Amino acid sequence: MATKLPKVPVVIVGMGWVGGIIAAELSKAGISVVGIERGKSRDTQDYYHVHDELRYAARYELMQDLSKETVAFRNTMKMRALPMRTYGSFLLGDGLGGAGVHWNGQYYRFLPYDFEIYSKTVERYGKKKIPENMTIRDWGITYEQLEPYFVKYEQMAGISGEKEIPSNIGAMSTPFPTGPMKKSPGMKLFENAAKKLGYHPYVIPSANLSEVYKNPDGVERAPCQYCGYCERFGCEYGAKADPVVTVLPVAKNTGKFELRTHSNVTKIIHDGKKATGVTYVHTPTGEEYTQPADVVILAGYLFTNVKLLLTSKLGEPYDPQTEKGSVGRNYAYQVNGASTSAFYEDREFNLAMGAGALGSSIDDFNGDNFDHSDLNFLHGANIRFTQTGLRPIQYQPVPADTPKWGAEFKKATIHNANRVLSVTGQGASMPNRYHYLDLDPEYKDAFGMPLIRMTFDFEDQDRELVKFIAQKTKAIADEMGATKTEIHDSIKQYNIVPYQSTHNTGGTIMGADPKTSVVNNYLQMWDAENVFICGASNFPHNSGYNPTSTVGALAYRTAEGVQKYLDKGGSLV
Amino acid sequence: MANDKPNQPQDESRRRFLKYSGTAIGGVVLGGVIGGLVGANLKDKDKEETPAAPQTATDNKDYNQALMFFNQDQFLTAEAAAERLFPKDDLGPGAKELGVAFFIDHQMASAFGTNSRDYMQPPYYKAEATQGYQLVFKRRELIALGLDALNGYSNTKYKKPFVEIAPEEQDAVLTAFESNDIELKDVPASNFFAMFLNLTLEGVYADPLYGGNKNMAGWKMRNFPGNQMSYTEYIEKEEFVKLEPMSLHDHLELG
């Protein structure tokens, strides 16, 4: 029997970026918040020995323990889904700070086009442009409406970027609070090549601080040291913005925030109209608790958010056959695979040095910044050169015809270790009627609950996008003065084995229509007014960008929504 | 907990860190409200080295080089096979000299070898290639049986164990395993090969603390600087900067 705890105003499930931001905003406003985190606590002291590629990058030290919980995967509805037994395509965060700890810090606001993708596509090309089964839709919020919340995140995290940004991305009411990252020789080669071709390169906005910064909450952090251990690692300097060094200490200092780690929420308790709290298991003891609350906020990664709704039977599960229901729909990903490698025989670069968000990029072929009339795909990709710090276990650069092992392999990998610059496309992922999340009928997690089942594949849209973007990466790479370039321009089926991206999106999407979305534009659940769900699970599609910027903005929007709800109650829209 | 004396170092450990890293980041609070804590356990390069213990003949022995999991045959087979995958040449040492077989042995004895953080619940079904590893085998079982199979196959084909056949013959055996060109009753040959190749490269390039990459020689061949605290002063440089690599051992404050 679960122990019933005293009621609190707000309980948050998950203590990553979303949970941390909302906890800080609400507790600063004097509202008592309980934050529940299934993993352990963390601080920067844990990272004294973080520069360890084997432990953190190859053995996934910071990631969710898959022996306890994973997802099941199949490409199509005809296949039997099987559990992701080991890590591959994407990595699931765990512990205080969640995926906000192991990110690279690349910070891109989504484009104005993204938020009104359906209307703007129809307006420019007509309805017929949208292929059958592609379920793009407007987000129920515009870029202009979300703009102030982007600013809040940028000021909190100290985002580093150029004062002038290209006109083909969303306008900023307030410039970035800190200047851009330093420019490496590779970035200069990329930018010069892009300019020569008439494109509009800019230094990637970065959550790895470029300079000392004190944020509006009084949190002061030191600059990035370009140490080359960012993605999959925690930052021992606190230079990379993560929830543990920014919002969580602020929440704690209010005295209104209580953090409970090692606590795994297993259920949202509700009567079909409103939630009354959550049930969780304290994992070290196995004891079960019920935490009643006026407002329940789901702030987990998308799989957690979707799973809790489905296992708690809150909201209507999506059915791809009838297209009824919304929980689990519009699962999308990131379409990578378009790239060109530039090999330099005459020089070497300091490629072990870098930062997660060090690089330059263009958006001339992202969103609807170019004419799609004669193209067989929608949206596009951010094209970039990044220098994130290339580590030797996971980076074995060789020309395509090199053997996979032996003397020639050794020679080629050593020769090329510091001689290859890659121009890559980070492609948008359009939703599809048959790409969705539901509960697996067979496999269970450590608590006996079903695993999330993912049904996802690449479509012609994705293959065409990669083919087109790859040509653009080649054109730029060809202008970068390399000895030779090698293009990669095709993707086949989606395969869960090779690492691609931890930018999984959708499942609890936002929108203006309760029939086709789970939450409104305050991230308030249509079917339960005191439940708020926030994260990349809200994205109806994924843009050609890293998602954290938009997740952060939505978290600030949610915090405002929760305050309004606590004041007045009812639906906020 | 804002720092009201921004030009004063927080504490002794921070002062040491700044010296150590050679960066001019001023006296600001690191890590914001959680305070200055970076570098508290960093080795002080400026401090005089503790006098070394008297040299003896045993000092050259690496007592970490012993077996945690393999039997002697498996170890020798692993060593010979890894050497073919990453051979010694004029660029530098191969897998054998780098201690890769010890690395693999130690990994097989670890949580990684027993798949303790992987989802290993049944049922197991035949999978599409896009669905990844779906074998009941734990890594240590696959690697041990695979090494035994390398020997078995060599014995059948060449009448000698794997370690005694010629390098070209060893390559032919490895290629047969890689391409699944053989029928083995007990072992999925290409799965074994892929995992063994991966382990070999990890053993060449992981921090020396894990038993491979001996004396950081794997890193030195690639001019990989290991784990330095800061590259702020180099990141904009046009020319290639060669740095003596550092390992995690260099960052540990020993009691």
Side-chain angles (χ1 to χ4, degrees), chain B residues 116-164:
Chain B
S116 73
R117 296 183 78 230
D118 295 332
Y119 188 83
M120 298 300 277
Q121 301 301 316
Y124 286 81
Y125 294 104
K126 194 169 161 41
E128 299 294 328
T130 56
Q131 294 176 298
Y133 189 83
Q134 297 290 340
L135 299 177
V136 189
F137 271 42
K138 290 182 174 169
R139 291 187 184 90
R140 54 154 66 181
E141 295 166 339
L142 183 61
I143 291 295
L145 280 176
L147 291 168
D148 293 345
L150 281 180
N151 261 331
Y153 185 79
S154 303
N155 276 323
T156 307
K157 192 159 182 191
Y158 302 102
K159 312 292 176 220
K160 281 184 210 165
F162 184 82
V163 291
E164 288 177 26

Side-chain angles (χ1 to χ4, degrees), chain A residues 52 59 75 220 222 237 443, chain B residues 30 32 119 123 130 202 210 229:
Chain A
D52 184 339
R59 301 286 181 265
N75 290 97
E220 196 170 23
Y237 295 95
Y443 292 97
Chain B
L30 290 164
Y119 188 83
T130 56
E202 288 177 348
Y210 296 100
M229 294 310 293

Side-chain angles (χ1 to χ4, degrees), chain A residues 48-67:
Chain A
Y48 282 145
H49 272 202
V50 81
H51 291 191
D52 184 339
E53 185 185 12
L54 186 76
R55 177 178 171 191
Y56 287 89
R59 301 286 181 265
Y60 313 110
E61 174 76 21
L62 298 178
M63 308 310 164
Q64 175 180 315
D65 182 345
L66 294 183
S67 75

Side-chain angles (χ1 to χ4, degrees), chain A residues 108 110 114 332-339 362-363 365-367 370 377-384 424-430 456 458 461-470 473 491 500-501 503 505 541-547:
Chain A
Y108 293 102
F110 278 15
D114 282 312
Y333 193 40
Q334 196 87 68
V335 181
N336 295 338
S339 71
I362 62 162
D363 288 313
F365 302 99
N366 204 357
F370 57 111
F377 65 92
L378 290 174
H379 216 297
N382 174 264
I383 295 175
R384 64 257 290 282
T424 60
Q426 178 162 236
S429 177
M430 297 298 101
F456 178 71
F458 290 135
Q461 147 79 24
D462 308 307
R463 286 181 278 269
E464 291 291 323
L465 184 150
V466 164
K467 209 157 83 183
F468 177 88
I469 294 295
T473 65
I491 55 168
Q500 290 156 69
S501 172
H503 302 163
T505 63
H541 72 273
N542 196 15
S543 186
Y545 283 137
N546 308 62

